[in-house]
Amino acid sequence: MTSQPPTQPETVVPEHPRRRTSTRTLLVVGVLVSLLLAGIGSFYSSALPDGLEFVAEQTGFADSAQEHAAADSPFADYATQGVDNPRLSGGLAGVVGSVLVLVVAGGLFLMLRRRDDVPTRRGD
């Protein structure tokens, strides 16, 4: 009996090669999702006290709390000053906060990124 060499399986080539998602598309979709989550999710955030407030109430020093310096700001207490609808007020505050974070983070990214395309001087 003669043995035949093993055959290799055929490579299946898809009819339509998969397109890669561009960085710009990924960035735009990420920003839109974050703004939707901030706008819609802000209304559903808990109104119950957070951990620090809970501990302050349990240990008895909650009465010594003072208003912070930004208590009169347009977005204090996760609400938008001058907007009567609580859903819209919280959503707007969430969207504005997200936009501010994205602008600061984007600005830092642009300032601190590595620049490989900087022309070098002769002799370097």
Side-chain angles (χ1 to χ4, degrees):
M1 244 182 165
T2 62
S3 65
Q4 295 179 348
T7 60
Q8 294 184 354
E10 293 182 24
T11 305
V12 178
V13 178
E15 291 181 28
H16 303 288
R18 190 173 185 183
R19 285 183 31 187
R20 293 185 59 192
T21 304
S22 72
T23 304
R24 180 173 295 172
T25 302
L26 185 65
L27 184 65
V28 168
V29 169
V31 167
L32 290 175
V33 167
S34 68
L35 291 176
L36 276 172
L37 286 173
I40 296 169
S42 296
F43 178 73
Y44 296 104
S45 61
S46 176
L48 299 174
D50 63 10
L52 180 60
E53 290 176 357
F54 178 77
V55 171
E57 290 171 1
Q58 295 298 316
T59 56
F61 71 90
D63 297 334
S64 64
Q66 298 175 355
E67 285 292 324
H68 53 84
D72 294 332
S73 69
F75 302 106
D77 293 328
Y78 306 105
T80 306
Q81 200 173 51
V83 178
D84 295 331
N85 184 336
R87 182 177 295 236
L88 181 61
S89 177
L92 188 59
V95 168
V96 170
S98 294
V99 167
L100 287 174
V101 168
L102 289 170
V103 167
V104 169
L108 285 172
F109 174 77
L110 291 174
M111 283 178 24
L112 300 175
R113 70 182 169 161
R114 187 182 316 170
R115 298 198 178 153
D116 293 334
D117 54 78
V118 176
T120 58
R121 295 181 300 190
R122 290 184 182 216
D124 284 349

